[in-house]
Every structure is written in structure tokens, then in C-alpha cells.
Amino acid sequence: MSSSFHLPLPTGSQTPLLTLTRPTPIVWQIELHNGVDNRLAKSLINDAFKPALQIVEREWRKERAEGKAKKDKEAGAAALVIVGRLDQDKFFSNGFDYPSVVADPAWFTATFDPLLLHLLTFPSKSTFSRTDVFPTVAAINGHCFAAGAIIALACDYRVMTDGTNRRAWMCMNEIDFGAPWPVSFAAIVRAKLSRVSVVGKFALEGHRFTPREALEADLIDEVVAGGTTTGVLERAREIAREKAPKAREGVWGVIKV
């Protein structure tokens, strides 16, 4: 897979939900573009997001093995960037299509939680294979709500627009429309957020964190000035390039998990 790679998914669809690219030899990129606000619908997750992760995993494993066989010291260096649709500055993801979640008793066990596990231990699909893990970066280029925030938290690094052009919030608003959290949501939040006061505001109050508030609460790592998707993505790619070599020795996942 070359750095000019460009793959809309699902393959053959006239309305792709995601585009997988490779902006550099060691950085892969997933752009979510399901409708206006990138809802994490079943079709996006099962027909596009999961296949994209599988493609990256397959290519990385192949190239790493080839590199190691040639005693290439750079073999295994890699990182993944996830960003909301590139033609707007309003949404990273607005979360689930909630009615479809309620209608599917197996939504979490069969659809969302397997995606979450794969992302947490990416590109491995199991916490038992910790040597096969590399850094992930969320480029939060707009509102980041509910399951969209969980996807962002599952990444190792998070950079967010400063919201100067359009407002941008990070929020878990299930408390406001009566949706109980699944175990996976609670586990991610408890693992990623260490301050009780922040967890309370995030989980029980549905507080809409501005980018600056999100930074102060350690929900994100950086705020990117300028309020544009271009700026957020550029910084996310920079972080990805910086961190990608840390995966070479196979202990990123061992130490992380």
C-alpha cells in the first residue's frame, strides 16, 4: 500500500461512509463521512470502519515482517489518525443513530464493542497480543458527542479544534435523553479520566466541554488554533509521525495496556 493510497468504503458504494488513505509511509488515516454529522451507524461500523482497520492491520503486519526480514531498523513504525469529514469544521462525530441502537439488542456485543476493542489495542484484536499495537490519534475537528467521544477517548492522543470558526464541544449527553451507559463506555471513561470531578461532569451532568475546558480536564492533549479541519488534521498527522517509531520495538502495547 503506497502513500498515495485512497480507498472509499464500503467498496463499490455510491455513497461511501469512510475513506482510508495513507498520507505518509508510516501514517494511515481514516476519514469518517457518514452524512452531515458522522453518525456511528451500523453500516458505517460494520461495512466501513471495521474493514478499514482490518486493511491497515493486514498491510502493516505484512510490511513489518518484510522489513524485519531485511533487518530494517524502521520496520514496525506506524500510527493511525481518525478525523471527521474533511469538508467541514463542525463535527468529528455526533455519536450513534440512537433509535437503531435501541432496536438492536446485540448492538454493543456484536457491533460496537468489538470495534472499540480493536481500536484500543490496534492493530491487534486482543489484549493478549500486546506486541502488535501502535499509536492512534483522534483529530477532533468539531463536535464530539457520546459514542463519538468514546471513539476519541479510545485513541492514544486527542487534538481538538479551538472552535473559533464554529463552536465545538466534547460531551457525553446520554444523561439528558435517558440512555444508560454500557459497561464499555464506563470502562473507557474510568481508564482515561483520573479526576473524580471531571468524571462527574462528563458522565452525570452531560457538561459540554469547550476545547479549552476539555484540555484543562485532560480529555484532550492539545487545542489547535485557527478553528479549521486542515489545521487539526495537520497537527494530528505531526503527532502520528512523531509517535509512530515508538511502535518499532513491540512494547508500545505491553506498556500501554
Side-chain angles (χ1 to χ4, degrees):
M1 188 187 292
S2 70
S3 57
S4 61
F5 182 82
H6 181 96
L7 178 64
L9 292 169
T11 304
S13 173
Q14 293 187 353
T15 55
L17 306 173
L18 172 157
T19 298
L20 175 63
T21 54
R22 192 170 180 179
T24 79
I26 59 173
V27 175
W28 282 267
Q29 177 179 301
I30 288 176
E31 176 198 355
L32 306 174
H33 46 78
N34 181 26
V36 175
D37 57 354
N38 303 320
R39 293 279 177 173
L40 296 167
K42 192 170 189 176
S43 55
L44 170 61
I45 293 174
N46 287 340
D47 301 334
F49 210 149
K50 289 178 180 177
L53 294 180
Q54 291 164 0
I55 290 168
V56 176
E57 176 184 0
R58 182 173 64 247
E59 292 297 321
W60 175 74
R61 289 185 188 280
K62 175 176 176 289
E63 293 175 15
R64 182 185 60 166
E66 292 172 349
K68 287 187 178 296
K70 297 175 182 177
K71 300 190 184 305
D72 180 357
K73 293 182 178 179
E74 299 303 313
L80 173 71
V81 172
I82 300 174
V83 64
R85 62 184 304 147
L86 300 181
D87 61 357
Q88 51 84 55
D89 304 315
K90 187 175 182 181
F91 292 103
F92 172 74
S93 173
N94 217 9
F96 293 143
D97 173 33
Y98 188 61
S100 65
V101 174
V102 173
D104 183 358
W107 172 263
F108 289 101
T109 55
T111 297
F112 188 71
D113 287 355
L115 170 70
L116 199 57
L117 176 61
H118 199 182
L119 189 56
L120 281 166
T121 59
F122 189 73
S124 170
K125 295 187 183 72
S126 168
T127 55
F128 297 106
S129 183
R130 299 178 185 177
T131 58
D132 297 335
V133 180
F134 61 68
T136 53
V137 186
I140 304 172
N141 56 328
H143 292 314
C144 184
F145 271 62
I150 295 297
I151 290 292
L153 285 176
C155 293
D156 297 307
Y157 300 95
R158 289 164 294 283
V159 298
M160 187 174 184
T161 177
D162 66 358
T164 53
N165 287 343
R166 304 195 70 148
R167 290 182 298 181
W169 295 314
M170 193 169 185
C171 176
M172 295 295 289
N173 62 334
E174 288 83 356
I175 193 74
D176 293 322
F177 59 91
W181 277 16
V183 172
S184 55
F185 279 27
I188 288 284
V189 170
R190 287 169 182 161
K192 295 286 185 167
L193 303 180
S194 59
R195 290 155 56 187
V196 174
S197 60
V198 172
V199 172
K201 291 183 73 172
F202 198 54
L204 298 177
E205 298 177 17
H207 181 74
R208 295 184 174 190
F209 288 81
T210 66
R212 186 58 55 185
E213 287 176 332
L215 180 63
E216 293 171 353
D218 295 326
L219 286 166
I220 61 174
D221 299 289
E222 291 186 22
V223 172
V224 181
T228 67
T229 290
T230 300
V232 173
L233 181 58
E234 182 178 315
R235 181 56 186 142
R237 287 178 177 177
E238 287 176 357
I239 292 173
R241 290 193 299 270
E242 292 168 5
K243 308 304 180 185
K246 300 298 183 181
R248 290 177 303 194
E249 302 302 322
V251 294
W252 177 272
V254 176
I255 297 171
K256 167 185 168 178
V257 182

